[in-house]
Amino acid sequence: MKVGIIGATGYGGLELIRFLHNHPEVKEIDLFTSSEEGTIFSSKFGHLLSIHDAPLNKIEEEKLSGFDVVFTSTPSGVTSKLLPPLVGVGPKLIDLSGDYRLKDLASYEKWYKKTPAPHSIVQESVYGLTEWNEKNIQSAGLIANPGCYPTAVLLSVLPLIKERLIDPNYLIIDAKSGVSGAGNKPSQTTHYSEMNENFSIYKVNEHQHIPEIEQAIKMFANTETTITFNTHLVPMTRGILATSYAPVLPGVTNKQLNDCLEETYKNHPFVRLVQDVSSIGTNRVKGSNYCDIYVKVDERTNRATIVGVIDNLVKGAAGQAIQNMNVQFSLPQTLGLDVVPLFI
């Protein structure tokens, strides 16, 4: 396959290159830029010396139409204008930004504070939560890759909501991410002296992933709910740990929750159910496409604690995007992604 990447200079783009370079069905990777045309890519990123020494290309519709698949790893608000001319003209499109995730355009404007993509194209896009939407992904021309936080949250809570084991009306989600989730543009928040030895909360009750999670719960579990969702920045580079709390319904046991998760994901190679809490953590999935899940019922409060852990740059971005590409082209989901987590 011939693959194009727009936004390769971001962390998500670099992870796409890392995995696609070793993908047995990918024979060519071309990188595109809006501002650094002609720059030799390995001169910007020394770890790619002799691996990807090609120059960055100018974004041109004619060139892009000749690819089998084009990944876009850009800030939100870019692909809403960039992708519409490419829809249906050749390449499969996989967008890692938030521009095509929300079906309600007014909701997109409210939460992202940007002009939405055309309504018809947003409605045509397919939400790429691979384990839950494989059938639609297979025939999709445009995939809206899920956000990193929603991936960790949804994979861990959706089975329990769908099977009516927990009460989603009182769902509270406490999520924490490494600093790479903020991208590679420096800011005061991500400045080393501000971030190091500091643990902070941000976008309190205002995170743009709130409507995405609620939309997906309605889509896959046929349940409307409003959630409490807050995010924190941890002084580490990679990883998301999302801890969700919800009441269990009458008579539901810890075993039922675990059995439900086990049954749901028994044929999904990248979701692992963890039984020992000491074995779940961000460094258990670092650099990999795994999502680890742990659940435990507090019998004293009758609430479940549900933990989902991913690498935000892999399962939360590039890895899931390639997993979706594999589904689109009827390839094994693990192709090019079957790597051991980088534990130390």
Side-chain angles (χ1 to χ4, degrees):
M1 291 190 294
K2 186 178 179 183
V3 175
I5 302 174
I6 299 172
T9 59
Y11 294 142
L14 289 171
E15 287 294 85
L16 283 169
I17 294 168
R18 181 167 73 93
F19 284 101
L20 290 170
H21 179 77
N22 293 311
H23 195 292
E25 293 296 326
V26 173
K27 303 307 178 186
E28 181 181 339
I29 304 171
D30 288 354
L31 311 180
F32 293 84
T33 179
S34 60
S35 59
E36 298 181 80
E37 179 187 358
T39 301
I40 301 300
F41 198 68
S42 58
S43 70
K44 288 180 63 68
F45 300 100
H47 69 292
L48 294 173
L49 184 64
S50 79
I51 298 172
H52 202 100
D53 297 324
L56 288 162
N57 299 291
K58 182 180 179 181
I59 299 172
E60 294 178 339
E61 183 182 333
E62 296 78 15
K63 286 184 179 180
L64 292 168
S65 62
F67 287 84
D68 294 295
V69 58
V70 173
F71 295 92
T72 49
S73 183
T74 60
S76 294
V78 174
T79 58
S80 58
K81 302 176 182 66
L82 178 66
L83 289 186
L86 291 171
V87 174
V89 302
K92 301 283 190 180
L93 304 171
I94 303 177
D95 182 37
L96 279 71
S97 81
D99 286 355
Y100 295 91
R101 294 173 189 157
L102 299 182
K103 297 301 185 182
D104 184 341
L105 301 192
S107 182
Y108 175 86
E109 286 188 279
K110 174 185 175 181
W111 291 91
Y112 282 85
K113 297 177 173 54
K114 298 179 186 297
T115 302
H119 179 265
S120 60
I121 297 178
V122 173
Q123 296 306 311
E124 182 182 335
S125 69
V126 171
Y127 190 63
L129 190 66
T130 322
E131 285 77 10
W132 284 81
N133 212 14
E134 183 177 350
K135 183 178 180 181
N136 290 321
I137 291 168
Q138 286 176 340
S139 57
L142 169 59
I143 290 176
N145 219 56
C148 50
Y149 281 122
T151 297
V153 172
L154 293 168
L155 288 176
S156 56
V157 304
L158 272 176
L160 310 181
I161 295 174
K162 184 179 179 181
E163 297 303 321
R164 306 294 188 259
L165 299 176
I166 61 173
D167 187 347
N169 294 308
Y170 299 94
L171 180 60
I172 297 173
I173 304 159
D174 176 86
K176 302 167 181 68
S177 174
V179 73
S180 62
N184 64 4
K185 284 191 175 181
S187 69
Q188 183 169 348
T189 303
T190 59
H191 191 287
Y192 179 82
S193 58
E194 298 276 351
M195 180 270 298
N196 186 50
E197 298 292 339
N198 186 34
F199 184 12
S200 57
I201 189 170
Y202 65 100
K203 292 187 179 179
V204 177
N205 300 327
E206 296 178 351
H207 203 287
Q208 69 272 16
H209 286 154
I210 291 174
E212 181 181 342
I213 294 170
E214 292 176 348
Q215 175 184 271
I217 290 173
K218 181 179 180 181
M219 184 188 309
F220 298 119
N222 196 29
T223 301
E224 291 198 43
T225 188
T226 53
I227 62 171
T228 296
F229 173 81
N230 279 304
T231 54
H232 307 76
L233 188 63
V234 181
M236 64 182 186
T237 302
R238 288 174 180 258
I240 282 177
L241 188 148
T243 306
S244 302
Y245 306 91
V248 295
L249 293 180
V252 171
T253 65
N254 198 79
K255 184 178 185 303
Q256 284 178 279
L257 299 186
N258 277 281
D259 287 349
C260 173
L261 291 166
E262 191 76 52
E263 180 64 24
T264 300
Y265 295 121
K266 64 182 180 182
N267 296 318
H268 295 283
F270 289 120
V271 180
R272 306 186 299 189
L273 187 57
V274 178
Q275 298 297 337
D276 182 356
V277 70
S278 66
S279 295
I280 194 163
T282 55
N283 67 344
R284 268 68 171 180
V285 298
K286 186 191 301 182
S288 79
N289 199 50
Y290 288 108
C291 173
D292 286 356
I293 301 173
Y294 171 83
V295 63
K296 187 173 183 180
V297 173
D298 182 349
E299 294 180 357
R300 187 178 64 88
T301 61
N302 206 41
R303 281 192 289 267
T305 300
I306 309 142
V307 183
V309 179
I310 63 170
D311 183 318
N312 56 295
L313 297 178
V314 187
K315 186 60 171 170
Q320 185 163 216
I322 294 169
Q323 189 179 354
N324 284 328
M325 179 193 77
N326 286 340
V327 172
Q328 283 180 306
F329 289 91
S330 301
L331 300 170
Q333 289 190 26
T334 56
L335 201 63
L337 294 169
D338 192 12
V339 299
V340 175
L342 186 63
F343 180 63
I344 299 297

